[in-house]
Every structure is written in structure tokens, then in C-alpha cells.
Coordinates of all heavy atoms in Angstrom, one line a residue:
M180 N -16.7 -14.7 -2.8 CA -15.3 -15.1 -2.8 C -14.5 -14.2 -1.9 O -14.8 -13.0 -1.8 CB -14.7 -15.0 -4.2 CG -13.3 -15.3 -4.2 SD -12.6 -15.1 -6.0 CE -12.5 -16.8 -6.4
K181 N -13.6 -14.7 -1.1 CA -12.8 -13.9 -0.2 C -11.3 -14.2 -0.5 O -10.9 -15.3 -0.9 CB -12.9 -14.3 1.3 CG -14.3 -13.9 1.8 CD -14.4 -14.1 3.3 CE -15.7 -13.6 3.9 NZ -15.8 -13.7 5.3
K182 N -10.5 -13.2 -0.3 CA -9.0 -13.3 -0.5 C -8.4 -12.4 0.6 O -9.0 -11.5 1.1 CB -8.6 -12.8 -1.9 CG -9.2 -13.5 -3.0 CD -8.0 -14.2 -3.7 CE -8.6 -15.0 -5.0 NZ -7.8 -16.0 -5.4
I183 N -7.2 -12.8 0.9 CA -6.4 -12.0 1.9 C -5.1 -11.6 1.1 O -4.4 -12.4 0.5 CB -6.0 -12.7 3.1 CG1 -7.3 -13.0 3.9 CG2 -5.1 -12.0 4.0 CD1 -7.2 -13.9 5.1
I184 N -4.8 -10.3 1.2 CA -3.4 -9.8 0.6 C -2.7 -8.9 1.6 O -3.3 -8.5 2.6 CB -3.7 -9.0 -0.7 CG1 -4.5 -7.7 -0.4 CG2 -4.5 -9.8 -1.7 CD1 -4.3 -6.7 -1.5
Q185 N -1.5 -8.7 1.3 CA -0.7 -7.9 2.2 C 0.1 -6.8 1.3 O 0.6 -7.2 0.2 CB 0.4 -8.8 2.8 CG 1.3 -8.0 3.8 CD 2.3 -8.8 4.5 OE1 2.8 -9.9 4.1 NE2 2.9 -8.4 5.6
L186 N 0.1 -5.6 1.8 CA 1.0 -4.6 1.3 C 2.0 -4.3 2.3 O 1.7 -4.1 3.4 CB 0.2 -3.2 1.1 CG -1.1 -3.3 0.1 CD1 -1.8 -2.0 0.2 CD2 -0.7 -3.6 -1.2
T187 N 3.3 -4.3 1.9 CA 4.4 -4.2 2.9 C 5.6 -3.5 2.2 O 5.8 -3.6 1.0 CB 4.8 -5.6 3.4 OG1 5.9 -5.4 4.4 CG2 5.3 -6.5 2.3
S188 N 6.4 -2.8 3.1 CA 7.5 -2.2 2.6 C 8.7 -3.1 2.9 O 9.9 -2.7 2.7 CB 7.7 -0.8 3.3 OG 7.8 -1.0 4.7
G189 N 8.5 -4.2 3.5 CA 9.6 -5.1 3.8 C 10.6 -4.4 4.9 O 10.0 -3.9 5.9
R190 N 11.8 -4.4 4.6 CA 12.7 -3.7 5.5 C 13.2 -2.4 4.9 O 14.3 -1.9 5.3 CB 14.0 -4.6 5.8 CG 13.6 -5.7 6.6 CD 14.9 -6.3 7.2 NE 15.1 -7.7 7.1 CZ 16.2 -8.3 7.1 NH1 17.3 -7.7 7.3 NH2 16.2 -9.6 7.1
G191 N 12.4 -1.8 4.0 CA 12.8 -0.6 3.3 C 12.8 0.6 4.2 O 12.3 0.5 5.4
P192 N 13.4 1.7 3.8 CA 13.5 2.9 4.6 C 12.1 3.6 4.6 O 11.1 3.2 4.1 CB 14.4 3.8 3.8 CG 14.2 3.3 2.4 CD 14.0 1.9 2.5
A193 N 12.1 4.8 5.4 CA 10.8 5.5 5.6 C 10.1 5.9 4.4 O 8.9 5.8 4.3 CB 11.2 6.8 6.4
E194 N 10.8 6.1 3.2 CA 10.2 6.4 2.0 C 9.3 5.2 1.5 O 8.2 5.4 0.9 CB 11.2 6.7 0.9 CG 11.9 8.0 1.0 CD 13.1 7.9 2.0 OE1 13.5 6.9 2.6 OE2 13.7 9.0 2.2
C195 N 9.8 4.0 1.8 CA 9.0 2.8 1.4 C 7.6 2.8 2.2 O 6.6 2.4 1.6 CB 9.8 1.5 1.6 SG 11.2 1.4 0.5
N196 N 7.6 3.1 3.4 CA 6.5 3.2 4.3 C 5.5 4.3 3.8 O 4.3 4.1 3.8 CB 6.9 3.5 5.7 CG 7.7 2.4 6.3 OD1 7.7 1.2 5.9 ND2 8.4 2.6 7.4
F197 N 6.1 5.4 3.4 CA 5.3 6.4 2.7 C 4.5 5.9 1.5 O 3.4 6.2 1.3 CB 6.2 7.6 2.3 CG 5.6 8.7 1.5 CD1 4.8 9.7 2.2 CD2 5.7 8.7 0.1 CE1 4.2 10.7 1.4 CE2 5.2 9.8 -0.6 CZ 4.4 10.7 0.0
V198 N 5.2 5.1 0.7 CA 4.6 4.5 -0.5 C 3.5 3.5 -0.1 O 2.5 3.5 -0.7 CB 5.7 3.8 -1.4 CG1 5.0 3.0 -2.5 CG2 6.6 4.9 -2.0
V199 N 3.8 2.6 0.9 CA 2.7 1.7 1.3 C 1.5 2.4 1.8 O 0.4 2.1 1.4 CB 3.3 0.7 2.4 CG1 2.1 0.0 3.1 CG2 4.4 -0.2 1.9
T200 N 1.7 3.5 2.5 CA 0.5 4.3 3.0 C -0.3 4.9 1.8 O -1.5 4.7 1.7 CB 1.0 5.5 3.8 OG1 1.6 4.8 5.0 CG2 -0.2 6.3 4.4
N201 N 0.4 5.4 0.8 CA -0.3 5.9 -0.4 C -0.9 4.9 -1.3 O -2.0 5.1 -1.9 CB 0.6 6.9 -1.1 CG 0.8 8.1 -0.4 OD1 -0.1 9.0 -0.4 ND2 2.0 8.4 0.3
V202 N -0.2 3.8 -1.4 CA -0.7 2.7 -2.2 C -2.0 2.1 -1.6 O -3.0 1.8 -2.3 CB 0.3 1.5 -2.5 CG1 -0.3 0.3 -3.0 CG2 1.4 2.1 -3.4
F203 N -2.0 2.0 -0.2 CA -3.2 1.6 0.4 C -4.4 2.5 0.2 O -5.5 2.1 0.0 CB -2.9 1.3 1.9 CG -4.2 1.1 2.7 CD1 -4.8 -0.2 2.6 CD2 -4.8 1.9 3.6 CE1 -5.9 -0.6 3.2 CE2 -6.0 1.7 4.2 CZ -6.5 0.3 4.0
K204 N -4.1 3.8 0.2 CA -5.2 4.8 -0.1 C -5.8 4.5 -1.5 O -7.0 4.5 -1.6 CB -4.6 6.2 0.1 CG -4.4 6.6 1.5 CD -3.9 8.1 1.5 CE -3.3 8.4 2.9 NZ -2.7 9.7 2.9
K205 N -4.9 4.4 -2.5 CA -5.4 4.2 -3.8 C -6.0 2.9 -3.9 O -7.1 2.7 -4.6 CB -4.2 4.3 -4.8 CG -3.7 5.7 -4.9 CD -2.7 5.8 -6.0 CE -2.2 7.3 -6.1 NZ -3.1 8.2 -6.5
F206 N -5.5 1.8 -3.3 CA -6.2 0.5 -3.3 C -7.5 0.6 -2.7 O -8.5 0.0 -3.3 CB -5.2 -0.5 -2.6 CG -5.7 -1.9 -2.6 CD1 -5.5 -2.7 -3.7 CD2 -6.4 -2.4 -1.6 CE1 -6.0 -4.0 -3.8 CE2 -6.9 -3.7 -1.6 CZ -6.7 -4.5 -2.6
S207 N -7.7 1.1 -1.6 CA -9.0 1.2 -0.9 C -10.0 2.0 -1.8 O -11.2 1.6 -1.8 CB -8.9 1.8 0.5 OG -8.4 3.1 0.5
E208 N -9.6 3.0 -2.5 CA -10.5 3.8 -3.4 C -10.9 2.8 -4.5 O -12.1 2.9 -5.0 CB -9.7 5.0 -3.9 CG -9.5 6.1 -2.9 CD -8.6 7.2 -3.3 OE1 -8.1 7.2 -4.5 OE2 -8.4 8.1 -2.5
A209 N -9.9 2.0 -5.0 CA -10.2 1.2 -6.2 C -11.2 0.1 -5.8 O -12.2 -0.3 -6.6 CB -9.0 0.5 -6.7
C210 N -11.1 -0.4 -4.5 CA -12.0 -1.4 -4.0 C -13.4 -0.8 -3.9 O -14.4 -1.4 -4.3 CB -11.5 -1.8 -2.6 SG -10.2 -3.0 -2.5
T211 N -13.5 0.4 -3.3 CA -14.9 1.0 -3.3 C -15.5 1.2 -4.6 O -16.7 0.9 -4.8 CB -14.6 2.4 -2.6 OG1 -14.1 2.2 -1.3 CG2 -16.0 3.2 -2.4
K212 N -14.7 1.7 -5.7 CA -15.3 1.9 -7.0 C -15.7 0.5 -7.6 O -16.6 0.5 -8.4 CB -14.2 2.4 -7.8 CG -14.0 4.0 -7.6 CD -12.9 4.5 -8.5 CE -12.7 5.9 -8.2 NZ -11.6 6.6 -9.0
S213 N -15.1 -0.6 -7.2 CA -15.3 -1.8 -7.8 C -16.3 -2.7 -6.9 O -16.5 -3.9 -7.2 CB -14.0 -2.7 -8.0 OG -13.2 -2.0 -8.9
D214 N -16.9 -2.1 -6.0 CA -17.9 -2.7 -5.1 C -17.3 -3.9 -4.3 O -17.9 -5.0 -4.2 CB -19.1 -3.2 -5.8 CG -20.0 -1.9 -6.2 OD1 -20.0 -1.0 -5.5 OD2 -20.6 -2.0 -7.3
I215 N -16.0 -3.8 -3.9 CA -15.4 -4.9 -3.2 C -15.2 -4.5 -1.8 O -14.7 -3.3 -1.5 CB -14.0 -5.1 -3.8 CG1 -14.1 -5.8 -5.2 CG2 -13.1 -6.1 -2.9 CD1 -12.8 -5.9 -6.0
K216 N -15.7 -5.3 -0.9 CA -15.6 -5.0 0.6 C -14.2 -5.3 1.1 O -13.6 -6.3 0.7 CB -16.6 -5.8 1.3 CG -18.1 -5.4 1.1 CD -19.0 -6.3 1.8 CE -20.4 -6.1 1.4 NZ -21.3 -6.9 2.0
F217 N -13.6 -4.5 1.9 CA -12.3 -4.7 2.4 C -12.3 -4.5 3.9 O -13.0 -3.6 4.4 CB -11.3 -3.9 1.7 CG -11.3 -2.4 1.9 CD1 -10.6 -1.8 2.8 CD2 -12.1 -1.7 1.0 CE1 -10.7 -0.5 3.0 CE2 -12.1 -0.3 1.1 CZ -11.4 0.3 2.2
D218 N -11.5 -5.2 4.6 CA -11.4 -5.1 6.0 C -9.9 -5.2 6.4 O -9.3 -6.2 6.0 CB -12.2 -6.2 6.7 CG -12.3 -6.0 8.2 OD1 -12.2 -4.9 8.7 OD2 -12.3 -6.9 9.0
V219 N -9.3 -4.3 7.2 CA -8.0 -4.4 7.6 C -7.9 -5.3 8.7 O -8.5 -5.2 9.7 CB -7.4 -2.9 8.0 CG1 -6.0 -3.0 8.6 CG2 -7.4 -2.0 6.8
I220 N -7.2 -6.4 8.5 CA -7.0 -7.5 9.6 C -5.8 -7.1 10.5 O -5.9 -7.3 11.7 CB -6.7 -8.8 8.9 CG1 -7.9 -9.2 8.0 CG2 -6.4 -9.9 9.9 CD1 -7.7 -10.5 7.2
E221 N -4.8 -6.6 9.9 CA -3.6 -6.3 10.7 C -2.8 -5.2 10.1 O -2.8 -5.1 8.8 CB -2.7 -7.6 10.8 CG -1.5 -7.5 11.6 CD -0.7 -8.7 11.6 OE1 -1.2 -9.8 11.7 OE2 0.5 -8.6 11.5
R222 N -2.1 -4.3 10.9 CA -1.4 -3.3 10.3 C -0.3 -3.0 11.3 O -0.3 -3.1 12.4 CB -2.2 -2.0 10.0 CG -2.7 -1.4 11.3 CD -3.5 -0.2 10.9 NE -4.1 0.4 12.1 CZ -4.9 1.4 12.2 NH1 -5.3 2.0 11.1 NH2 -5.4 1.8 13.3
E223 N 0.8 -2.5 10.6 CA 2.0 -2.1 11.4 C 2.3 -0.6 11.0 O 2.3 -0.3 9.8 CB 3.3 -3.0 11.2 CG 3.1 -4.3 11.6 CD 4.4 -5.2 11.3 OE1 5.5 -4.6 11.2 OE2 4.3 -6.4 11.2
I224 N 2.6 0.2 12.0 CA 2.8 1.6 11.8 C 4.2 1.9 12.1 O 4.8 1.6 13.1 CB 1.9 2.5 12.7 CG1 0.4 2.1 12.5 CG2 2.1 4.0 12.5 CD1 -0.2 2.5 11.2
D225 N 4.9 2.7 11.2 CA 6.2 3.2 11.5 C 6.1 4.3 12.5 O 5.4 5.2 12.4 CB 6.8 3.8 10.2 CG 8.1 4.5 10.3 OD1 8.8 4.3 11.3 OD2 8.4 5.4 9.4
K226 N 6.8 4.1 13.6 CA 6.8 5.0 14.7 C 7.3 6.3 14.5 O 6.9 7.4 15.0 CB 7.4 4.3 16.0 CG 6.8 3.1 16.5 CD 7.5 2.4 17.6 CE 7.0 1.1 17.8 NZ 7.7 0.3 18.8
D227 N 8.4 6.4 13.6 CA 9.0 7.6 13.3 C 8.2 8.7 12.5 O 8.2 9.8 12.8 CB 10.4 7.5 12.7 CG 11.3 6.7 13.6 OD1 11.3 6.8 14.8 OD2 12.2 6.0 13.0
F228 N 7.5 8.2 11.5 CA 6.8 9.0 10.6 C 5.3 8.8 10.6 O 4.6 9.4 9.8 CB 7.3 9.0 9.2 CG 8.8 9.4 9.2 CD1 9.8 8.5 9.1 CD2 9.1 10.8 9.2 CE1 11.1 8.9 9.1 CE2 10.4 11.2 9.1 CZ 11.5 10.3 9.1
N229 N 4.8 7.9 11.4 CA 3.4 7.5 11.5 C 2.8 7.1 10.1 O 1.7 7.5 9.7 CB 2.6 8.6 12.0 CG 1.2 8.2 12.5 OD1 1.0 7.2 13.1 ND2 0.3 9.1 12.5
Q230 N 3.5 6.2 9.4 CA 3.1 5.7 8.1 C 3.0 4.2 8.2 O 3.6 3.6 9.1 CB 4.2 6.0 7.1 CG 4.5 7.5 6.8 CD 3.4 8.1 6.1 OE1 2.6 7.5 5.4 NE2 3.4 9.4 6.2
L231 N 2.2 3.6 7.3 CA 2.0 2.1 7.3 C 3.3 1.5 6.9 O 3.9 1.9 5.8 CB 0.9 1.7 6.4 CG -0.6 2.0 6.8 CD1 -1.5 1.7 5.6 CD2 -0.9 1.1 8.0
S232 N 3.8 0.5 7.5 CA 4.9 -0.3 7.0 C 4.4 -1.6 6.5 O 5.0 -2.3 5.5 CB 6.0 -0.5 8.1 OG 5.4 -1.2 9.2
S233 N 3.2 -2.0 6.9 CA 2.6 -3.3 6.4 C 1.1 -3.2 6.8 O 0.7 -2.7 7.9 CB 3.2 -4.5 7.1 OG 2.6 -5.7 6.7
V234 N 0.3 -3.8 5.9 CA -1.1 -3.9 6.1 C -1.7 -5.1 5.4 O -1.3 -5.5 4.3 CB -1.9 -2.6 5.6 CG1 -1.8 -2.4 4.2 CG2 -3.4 -2.7 6.0
V235 N -2.4 -5.9 6.2 CA -3.1 -7.2 5.7 C -4.6 -6.9 5.5 O -5.1 -6.4 6.5 CB -2.8 -8.3 6.7 CG1 -3.5 -9.6 6.2 CG2 -1.3 -8.6 6.9
I236 N -5.1 -7.2 4.4 CA -6.4 -6.9 4.0 C -7.2 -8.0 3.6 O -6.7 -8.8 2.8 CB -6.4 -5.8 2.9 CG1 -5.5 -4.7 3.1 CG2 -7.8 -5.3 2.6 CD1 -5.0 -3.9 1.9
E237 N -8.4 -8.2 4.1 CA -9.3 -9.2 3.6 C -10.3 -8.6 2.7 O -11.0 -7.6 3.0 CB -10.1 -9.8 4.8 CG -11.1 -11.0 4.3 CD -11.8 -11.6 5.5 OE1 -12.6 -10.8 6.2 OE2 -11.7 -12.8 5.7
L238 N -10.4 -9.2 1.5 CA -11.3 -8.7 0.4 C -12.4 -9.7 0.2 O -12.2 -10.9 0.3 CB -10.5 -8.6 -0.9 CG -9.2 -7.7 -0.8 CD1 -8.5 -7.9 -2.1 CD2 -9.6 -6.3 -0.6
E239 N -13.6 -9.2 -0.1 CA -14.8 -9.9 -0.5 C -15.5 -9.3 -1.6 O -15.8 -8.0 -1.5 CB -15.6 -10.1 0.8 CG -16.8 -11.0 0.6 CD -17.6 -11.2 1.8 OE1 -17.3 -10.7 2.9 OE2 -18.7 -11.9 1.7
G240 N -15.8 -10.1 -2.6 CA -16.6 -9.5 -3.8 C -16.5 -10.5 -4.9 O -15.8 -11.6 -4.9
N241 N -17.1 -10.0 -5.9 CA -17.2 -10.8 -7.2 C -16.0 -10.5 -8.0 O -15.5 -9.4 -8.1 CB -18.5 -10.5 -8.0 CG -19.7 -11.0 -7.2 OD1 -19.7 -12.0 -6.5 ND2 -20.8 -10.2 -7.3
D242 N -15.5 -11.5 -8.7 CA -14.4 -11.4 -9.7 C -13.2 -10.8 -9.1 O -12.5 -9.9 -9.7 CB -14.8 -10.6 -10.9 CG -14.1 -10.9 -12.2 OD1 -13.5 -12.0 -12.2 OD2 -14.1 -10.0 -13.1
L243 N -12.8 -11.2 -7.9 CA -11.6 -10.7 -7.2 C -10.3 -11.0 -8.0 O -9.4 -10.2 -8.0 CB -11.5 -11.3 -5.8 CG -12.3 -10.7 -4.7 CD1 -12.1 -11.4 -3.4 CD2 -12.0 -9.3 -4.5
N244 N -10.2 -12.1 -8.7 CA -9.1 -12.5 -9.4 C -8.7 -11.4 -10.5 O -7.6 -11.0 -10.7 CB -9.1 -13.9 -10.0 CG -9.1 -15.0 -9.1 OD1 -8.5 -14.8 -7.9 ND2 -9.7 -16.0 -9.3
S245 N -9.8 -11.0 -11.2 CA -9.7 -10.0 -12.2 C -9.2 -8.7 -11.7 O -8.3 -8.0 -12.1 CB -11.0 -9.9 -13.0 OG -10.9 -9.1 -14.1
F246 N -9.8 -8.3 -10.6 CA -9.5 -7.0 -9.9 C -8.1 -7.0 -9.4 O -7.3 -6.1 -9.6 CB -10.4 -6.7 -8.7 CG -10.1 -5.6 -7.8 CD1 -10.3 -4.3 -8.2 CD2 -9.4 -5.8 -6.7 CE1 -10.0 -3.2 -7.5 CE2 -9.0 -4.7 -5.9 CZ -9.3 -3.4 -6.3
L247 N -7.6 -8.2 -8.8 CA -6.2 -8.2 -8.3 C -5.1 -8.2 -9.2 O -4.0 -8.0 -8.9 CB -6.1 -9.4 -7.2 CG -7.0 -9.2 -5.9 CD1 -6.9 -10.5 -5.0 CD2 -6.4 -8.0 -5.1
K248 N -5.5 -8.7 -10.5 CA -4.4 -8.7 -11.5 C -3.7 -7.4 -11.7 O -2.5 -7.3 -12.0 CB -5.0 -9.2 -12.8 CG -5.2 -10.6 -12.9 CD -5.7 -11.0 -14.3 CE -6.0 -12.5 -14.4 NZ -6.6 -12.9 -15.6
E249 N -4.5 -6.3 -11.4 CA -3.9 -5.0 -11.5 C -3.0 -4.6 -10.3 O -2.2 -3.6 -10.4 CB -5.1 -3.9 -11.6 CG -6.1 -4.2 -12.7 CD -5.6 -3.6 -13.9 OE1 -4.8 -2.6 -14.0 OE2 -5.9 -4.2 -15.0
W250 N -3.1 -5.3 -9.3 CA -2.4 -5.0 -8.0 C -1.3 -5.9 -7.5 O -0.5 -5.6 -6.7 CB -3.5 -4.8 -6.9 CG -4.4 -3.7 -7.1 CD1 -5.6 -3.7 -7.7 CD2 -4.1 -2.2 -6.8 NE1 -6.1 -2.4 -7.8 CE2 -5.2 -1.5 -7.2 CE3 -3.0 -1.6 -6.2 CZ2 -5.2 -0.2 -7.1 CZ3 -3.0 -0.2 -6.1 CH2 -4.2 0.5 -6.5
I251 N -1.3 -7.1 -8.0 CA -0.4 -8.2 -7.4 C 1.0 -7.9 -8.1 O 1.1 -7.7 -9.3 CB -0.9 -9.6 -7.8 CG1 -2.2 -9.9 -7.2 CG2 0.2 -10.6 -7.5 CD1 -2.2 -9.9 -5.7
G252 N 2.0 -8.0 -7.3 CA 3.4 -7.8 -7.8 C 4.1 -6.6 -7.1 O 3.6 -6.0 -6.1
T253 N 5.2 -6.2 -7.7 CA 6.0 -5.2 -7.2 C 5.6 -3.8 -7.7 O 5.2 -3.8 -9.0 CB 7.5 -5.4 -7.5 OG1 8.0 -6.7 -7.0 CG2 8.4 -4.3 -6.9
I254 N 5.5 -2.8 -6.9 CA 5.1 -1.5 -7.4 C 6.3 -0.6 -7.4 O 7.1 -0.5 -6.4 CB 4.0 -0.9 -6.4 CG1 2.7 -1.8 -6.6 CG2 3.7 0.5 -6.8 CD1 1.7 -1.5 -5.5
L255 N 6.5 0.1 -8.5 CA 7.6 1.1 -8.6 C 6.9 2.4 -8.5 O 6.1 2.8 -9.3 CB 8.2 1.0 -10.0 CG 9.3 2.0 -10.3 CD1 10.5 2.0 -9.3 CD2 9.8 1.9 -11.7
W256 N 7.3 3.1 -7.5 CA 6.8 4.5 -7.2 C 8.0 5.4 -7.3 O 9.0 5.3 -6.8 CB 6.3 4.6 -5.7 CG 5.7 5.8 -5.3 CD1 6.2 7.0 -5.0 CD2 4.3 6.0 -5.0 NE1 5.3 7.9 -4.7 CE2 4.1 7.3 -4.6 CE3 3.2 5.2 -5.0 CZ2 2.9 7.8 -4.2 CZ3 1.9 5.7 -4.6 CH2 1.8 7.0 -4.3
I257 N 7.8 6.4 -8.3 CA 8.8 7.3 -8.5 C 8.5 8.7 -8.0 O 7.4 9.3 -8.4 CB 9.2 7.4 -10.1 CG1 9.6 6.0 -10.6 CG2 10.2 8.4 -10.3 CD1 9.7 5.9 -12.1
G258 N 9.4 9.3 -7.3 CA 9.1 10.6 -6.7 C 10.3 11.0 -5.7 O 11.0 10.2 -5.3
K259 N 10.3 12.2 -5.4 CA 11.3 12.7 -4.4 C 10.8 12.4 -2.9 O 9.7 12.3 -2.7 CB 11.5 14.2 -4.6 CG 12.1 14.6 -5.9 CD 12.6 16.1 -5.8 CE 13.3 16.4 -7.2 NZ 14.2 17.3 -7.1
S260 N 11.9 12.1 -2.2 CA 11.6 11.7 -0.8 C 11.1 12.9 0.0 O 11.6 14.0 -0.1 CB 12.9 11.4 -0.1 OG 12.7 11.2 1.3
P261 N 9.9 12.7 0.7 CA 9.4 13.7 1.5 C 10.2 13.9 2.8 O 10.0 14.8 3.6 CB 8.0 13.2 1.9 CG 8.0 11.8 1.8 CD 9.1 11.5 0.7
Y262 N 11.2 13.0 3.0 CA 12.0 13.0 4.3 C 13.4 13.4 4.1 O 14.0 14.0 5.0 CB 11.9 11.6 5.0 CG 10.6 11.1 5.1 CD1 10.2 9.9 4.4 CD2 9.6 11.7 6.0 CE1 8.9 9.5 4.6 CE2 8.3 11.2 6.1 CZ 8.0 10.1 5.4 OH 6.7 9.6 5.5
R263 N 13.9 13.1 2.9 CA 15.3 13.5 2.6 C 15.3 14.4 1.3 O 15.5 13.8 0.2 CB 16.2 12.3 2.4 CG 16.4 11.5 3.7 CD 17.3 10.3 3.5 NE 16.5 9.2 3.0 CZ 17.0 8.0 2.8 NH1 18.3 7.8 3.0 NH2 16.3 7.0 2.3
K264 N 15.0 15.6 1.4 CA 14.7 16.4 0.2 C 15.7 16.5 -0.8 O 15.5 16.7 -2.0 CB 14.2 17.7 0.7 CG 13.0 17.8 1.6 CD 12.0 18.8 1.2 CE 10.9 18.8 2.2 NZ 9.7 18.2 1.7
F265 N 17.0 16.4 -0.4 CA 18.1 16.6 -1.3 C 18.8 15.3 -1.8 O 19.8 15.3 -2.4 CB 19.2 17.5 -0.8 CG 18.5 18.9 -0.4 CD1 18.3 19.2 0.9 CD2 18.2 19.7 -1.4 CE1 17.8 20.5 1.2 CE2 17.7 21.0 -1.1 CZ 17.4 21.3 0.2
H266 N 18.1 14.2 -1.5 CA 18.7 12.9 -1.9 C 18.4 12.7 -3.3 O 17.3 13.0 -3.9 CB 18.0 11.7 -1.0 CG 18.7 10.4 -1.1 ND1 18.6 9.5 -2.1 CD2 19.6 9.9 -0.2 CE1 19.4 8.5 -1.8 NE2 20.0 8.7 -0.7
Q267 N 19.3 12.0 -4.0 CA 19.3 11.9 -5.5 C 18.3 10.8 -6.0 O 17.8 10.8 -7.1 CB 20.7 11.6 -6.1 CG 21.6 12.8 -5.9 CD 21.2 14.1 -6.6 OE1 20.8 14.0 -7.7 NE2 21.2 15.2 -5.8
R268 N 18.1 9.6 -5.2 CA 17.3 8.6 -5.6 C 15.8 9.0 -5.7 O 15.4 9.8 -5.0 CB 17.3 7.4 -4.7 CG 18.6 6.6 -5.0 CD 18.6 5.3 -4.2 NE 17.6 4.5 -4.9 CZ 17.3 3.3 -4.4 NH1 17.7 2.9 -3.2 NH2 16.3 2.5 -5.0
K269 N 15.1 8.5 -6.7 CA 13.7 8.9 -6.8 C 12.7 7.6 -6.8 O 11.6 7.7 -7.0 CB 13.5 9.6 -8.1 CG 14.2 10.9 -8.1 CD 13.8 11.7 -9.4 CE 14.7 13.1 -9.4 NZ 14.6 13.6 -10.7
N270 N 13.4 6.4 -6.7 CA 12.5 5.2 -6.7 C 12.3 4.7 -5.3 O 13.1 4.8 -4.4 CB 13.2 4.0 -7.6 CG 13.4 4.4 -8.9 OD1 12.8 5.3 -9.4 ND2 14.1 3.6 -9.7

């Protein structure tokens, strides 16, 4: 079975691209642990901070629907901005 998914920050600020980059790292680790092959089909890089703003991934493996249930939807990442250290928002 094959599936194609996208991780994207939409039009979010640099912090959103930071999150997409880190979510992709965690996602690729989870794929490896679950014996799911993945291939990056397309990616967009933020020129200012060299972070992923969008990545399209082709997945191949058994029971992809079950694996993807953990990943489909909106991700809330809470932490301080690595770019605006004194900014009050944390989401």
C-alpha cells in the first residue's frame, strides 16, 4: 500500500517552519521504527533560516492507515521561539 502526505507550515512565521522541520525528523524516525519506507517527493526550504516550510512524502508499507492515525491532523507544538527569544507566545 502507498500513501502520499504533506507536512506544511502554510503561511506561518519562521517558528512554524522550525516545527515542520522537527516534526519531519520525528515522523521519519517513526517510519523507520515501523518498517515504513518513505521518500521525499517535494520540499520547500525557508531561505532565511534554512528550515522546511513544506514537505511531501510518499509512504509505502503495511497497515499505513493505522500508522497515520497518529499523525493526521493539526499538531500543537509548545515551546519558546528560537528566533524571537523574548516573544510571549509559546504555540
Side-chain angles (χ1 to χ4, degrees):
M180 173 183 261
K181 287 187 179 183
K182 296 249 182 198
I183 294 176
I184 67 162
Q185 179 181 25
L186 302 174
T187 182
S188 63
R190 289 201 227 159
E194 289 84 359
C195 294
N196 298 336
F197 173 80
V198 170
V199 168
T200 301
N201 284 285
V202 167
F203 175 69
K204 287 177 189 175
K205 291 188 180 295
F206 182 81
S207 60
E208 290 169 2
C210 285
T211 301
K212 286 180 185 176
S213 298
D214 292 326
I215 293 173
K216 295 178 185 175
F217 65 94
D218 187 33
V219 174
I220 298 173
E221 184 180 321
R222 66 180 175 185
E223 291 181 29
I224 305 289
D225 172 20
K226 296 174 187 173
D227 296 328
F228 297 102
N229 199 32
Q230 301 284 342
L231 286 171
S232 59
S233 178
V234 60
V235 178
I236 310 157
E237 181 180 58
L238 304 169
E239 184 176 357
N241 296 324
D242 206 17
L243 281 177
N244 290 333
S245 188
F246 173 78
L247 289 174
K248 281 183 183 177
E249 303 281 326
W250 293 96
I251 300 296
T253 301
I254 295 173
L255 174 63
W256 186 288
I257 300 174
K259 292 194 178 206
S260 170
Y262 309 115
R263 295 182 277 181
K264 301 225 184 253
F265 301 108
H266 199 277
Q267 296 299 317
R268 280 191 74 185
K269 294 181 185 172
N270 296 351

